[in-house]
Amino acid sequence: MSDGFLTGTSRLRAVLLVTKHDVGGMVRSNRMMIMGVVITFFILGSCYAVTDARFEGLGGFEADNPITLLFLATAFALWPSTLGVVLFGFDAVSRRRLTGELAIDLTQPMPRTDLSLAHLLAVWLTSLLPTFLSFLGGILIIHYRVGAYPTLSEFVVFFTATALLLWWYTCLQLFASSLARDLGSSVTLGVGTWLVFTTIWLVVSAFVASLAGVDITDIASAEFDTVNEKVDLFSPNGVYQLLLETLLPGDAQPRLADAWIWLAAIAWSVLPMSLFVHRMQRIKP
Amino acid sequence: MYGKVIKCGTVAGYGANMLRLSNVTYRHRDATPTFTNPFLQRIGPGIKGISIQLAPKKILGLVGPNGTGKTTLLKVMAGLLPPEDGHLVIDGARVVDSISTARLRHAVSFMPEQVGWPGPGTPRRVMSRLCAMRGEDNTNGMQMLDLVGLTQRVDDDLSTLSQGMRQRLSLATALLGSPEVLLLDEPLNGLDPVAQAAFRGLLRQLASNGASIVVSSHNLNELARFVDEVCILHMGRIVSIGTITEVERELGIAARLEVSGLGNNPSSAISAAINDVTISELSTKEGEDWRLEISLHDAEWDSANKAEIASAISDSAAKISHLAIVTSDLEHILEAATGLSVEEAGFAILSSGEAEK
């Protein structure tokens, strides 16, 4: 150990221990008290609402099986979860940089790549915890209301897609946090990115569709849907929705080939993470 | 407090070139985006052409006014800022690859100035996290907390710690892993006088165990109490380095004797009695008839020449009410080193940046 950095399992153990410390700190923080409650209410409430007999569905989906109901619930439920990532992660790097703690971290004999990974895992797991627990509760509500559970494969794909979405936002937010020199800029970058992907993306899709000569007054048309799906590959929320749509029956399936969707998912998993790790290699405390 | 002594490095492990900076330059770049050039950067202050070699068992004081490059130099030594020019050498090898970087990380420890420690968390959790990063046992972290006198506060929330306690926690993090080189940025800030005395004692013990310690401060008088050598920085450059006496002599501002009293002004009597002295008259204080500042040209003050002065004053029928050696403060040293007044030197620092695309 004295001649170099830790190696092999010791290195992995160090990453996991630092992650555990950081998760412990964030789980006990005041913002978890608030966001945990908000995420739980949103997800449980959404699952309850979409199983109500008076619910008419979204986008013409027939809400007749558990995975379709979960899919519909995500339209409301993912807002607080992704916002949670932004709020848990906006100061993960920038605050430590401001307070001098980052300088202490960077002088330790731990490779910066490993430190970056520990930061990513900590914010990701912290936001994943209330989201997963709430969706498990949501599945129980759906079972109680419609008498069925999703299949195991649906369950795995749903939770994998949700975990990936939170991972993408984690990478983006930590990259923003490492770029910003103050907390205000960090939260502005994070919330700005979140707003673009959650609320403004339809405008981007419509703009691209109009450039392609598609009638944007009819967003239910097949032509608009095709363009929209392609544009969605460049948005984490879009890729997430496309991944979930692969579980849906019949004509609710995406028009794009599954390979493109999974390729986009891989790209979103790797590229923002690489940006963040690269940034951390060069960050000056 | 500070009741135990840890082994900080081993003398046998030190090479002659343990940590060395060779002609290192680093200048900060501040983003100053404009509408036409969003990537415009302005070169700010930094350090220029610094060559320095740390010695084991020595405490080096880095002295200079605010913004002169002390923190930047410490961060370059710690490997946190990459030199633009020149290189950092540890154990004879340039710090360029992961092996030499890892060696640097194990050997060199850095305590930043005024770490916030905002929490949530406790000193125990802070040390435990750092132990995890280093692959060390948690008991090492607890020993360091014990060493800096935080045993009673290990499980208190960080937000409840005073500034002095936070400084101690920062010191504990720097001591983790028994570093061979300890870089401390303004470590005495926020410590009460008793803690400062204990801190100075601890540093001396660490140095006697073989550690090489660098302490930055803008207060030369404070550093003069425990450092072996001082390094005077001005506008990112080393102006002078050596013991305080060597620095003063190099700059021609050796220690002066300040004497005041009643009766006739004894200046002419002193000049007649002792060769090679410069006598300046100072403004008197209440109850004094005269006040003089006496400098020796080619000698240091000792009991013999002080007695000669006292005797000359007595022979001139004057009475001494006050006699003391006055060491140079930072203002004197900077004035001597730069040829500028303190105000001019300070403003020169602020205007040392230049724009660059």
Side-chain angles (χ1 to χ4, degrees), chain A residues 1-6 14 17-18 20-22 24-26 28-29 95-96 99-110 112 115 119 181 283-285, chain B residues 26 29 75 78-82 98-99 101-103 105-106 108 110 112-120 125 128-130 132-136 170 173 176:
Chain A
M1 194 185 81
S2 60
D3 293 332
F5 290 126
L6 298 173
L17 280 173
V18 174
K20 183 184 143 203
H21 273 278
D22 291 354
M26 283 190 275
R28 280 190 285 267
S29 66
R95 185 170 75 159
R96 295 187 77 81
T99 59
E101 292 166 279
L102 184 65
I104 292 175
D105 283 354
L106 294 178
T107 51
Q108 303 305 316
M110 181 186 211
R112 289 189 177 198
L115 180 63
H119 276 303
R181 282 194 171 271
I283 197 167
K284 292 168 185 169
Chain B
Y26 179 88
R29 281 172 165 72
K75 285 184 175 176
L80 290 171
L81 299 176
S98 63
I99 292 174
T101 303
R103 170 74 187 120
R105 295 273 176 267
H106 280 288
V108 180
F110 174 57
E113 181 185 6
Q114 303 261 330
V115 181
W117 299 121
R125 288 182 58 80
S128 173
R129 183 177 183 274
L130 291 174
M133 292 177 80
R134 305 182 67 92
E136 288 186 18
S170 302
T173 66
L176 200 57

Side-chain angles (χ1 to χ4, degrees), chain B residues 21-160:
Chain B
L21 270 70
S22 178
N23 201 27
V24 166
T25 294
Y26 179 88
R27 300 193 72 182
H28 295 281
R29 281 172 165 72
D30 302 323
T32 50
T34 62
F35 185 75
T36 52
N37 186 354
F39 302 107
L40 182 69
Q41 289 188 324
R42 181 180 174 83
I43 292 184
I47 55 173
K48 282 160 267 178
I50 299 277
S51 294
I52 194 169
Q53 183 171 317
L54 302 185
K57 293 191 165 193
K58 295 276 186 188
I59 303 178
L60 174 69
L62 275 184
V63 193
N66 296 331
T68 201
K70 301 188 296 293
T71 299
T72 304
L73 178 55
L74 288 176
K75 285 184 175 176
V76 170
M77 284 179 175
L80 290 171
L81 299 176
E84 283 171 27
D85 199 12
H87 46 265
L88 187 61
V89 176
I90 185 153
D91 290 343
R94 285 190 189 189
V95 179
V96 287
D97 55 20
S98 63
I99 292 174
S100 53
T101 303
R103 170 74 187 120
L104 184 80
R105 295 273 176 267
H106 280 288
V108 180
S109 191
F110 174 57
M111 172 184 163
E113 181 185 6
Q114 303 261 330
V115 181
W117 299 121
T122 63
R124 184 195 296 275
R125 288 182 58 80
V126 167
M127 297 307 287
S128 173
R129 183 177 183 274
L130 291 174
C131 285
M133 292 177 80
R134 305 182 67 92
E136 288 186 18
D137 195 85
N138 280 347
T139 51
N140 292 352
M142 292 308 295
Q143 282 176 356
M144 295 307 118
L145 290 176
D146 190 25
L147 186 70
V148 299
L150 280 178
T151 310
Q152 304 298 319
R153 306 294 301 268
V154 288
D155 291 318
D156 289 0
D157 194 86
L158 291 172
S159 61
T160 65

Side-chain angles (χ1 to χ4, degrees), chain B residues 183-229:
Chain B
L183 308 172
L184 310 172
D185 195 1
E186 305 276 4
L188 299 178
N189 283 359
L191 295 182
D192 60 60
V194 176
Q196 284 190 16
F199 184 87
R200 288 192 292 268
L202 175 64
L203 291 188
R204 285 262 40 116
Q205 286 175 327
L206 294 172
S208 67
N209 282 344
S212 178
I213 300 172
V214 184
V215 184
S216 81
S217 177
H218 55 266
N219 189 335
L220 181 64
N221 295 333
E222 178 184 274
L223 281 183
R225 301 172 73 172
F226 66 100
V227 299
D228 298 300
E229 294 184 336

Side-chain angles (χ1 to χ4, degrees), chain B residues 243-298:
Chain B
T243 63
I244 290 181
T245 306
E246 287 169 349
V247 167
E248 288 175 335
R249 187 171 297 160
E250 183 185 342
L251 299 174
I253 49 167
R256 302 161 315 278
L257 185 72
E258 195 172 283
V259 56
S260 62
L262 302 171
N264 296 328
N265 187 326
S267 297
S268 53
I270 296 170
S271 299
I274 303 171
N275 295 327
D276 292 335
V277 293
T278 302
I279 302 173
S280 311
E281 289 192 24
L282 305 177
S283 53
T284 56
K285 294 181 179 173
E286 190 176 344
E288 294 174 351
D289 291 331
W290 47 267
R291 175 173 281 262
L292 305 174
E293 186 181 82
I294 306 166
S295 304
L296 292 175
H297 292 172
D298 292 314

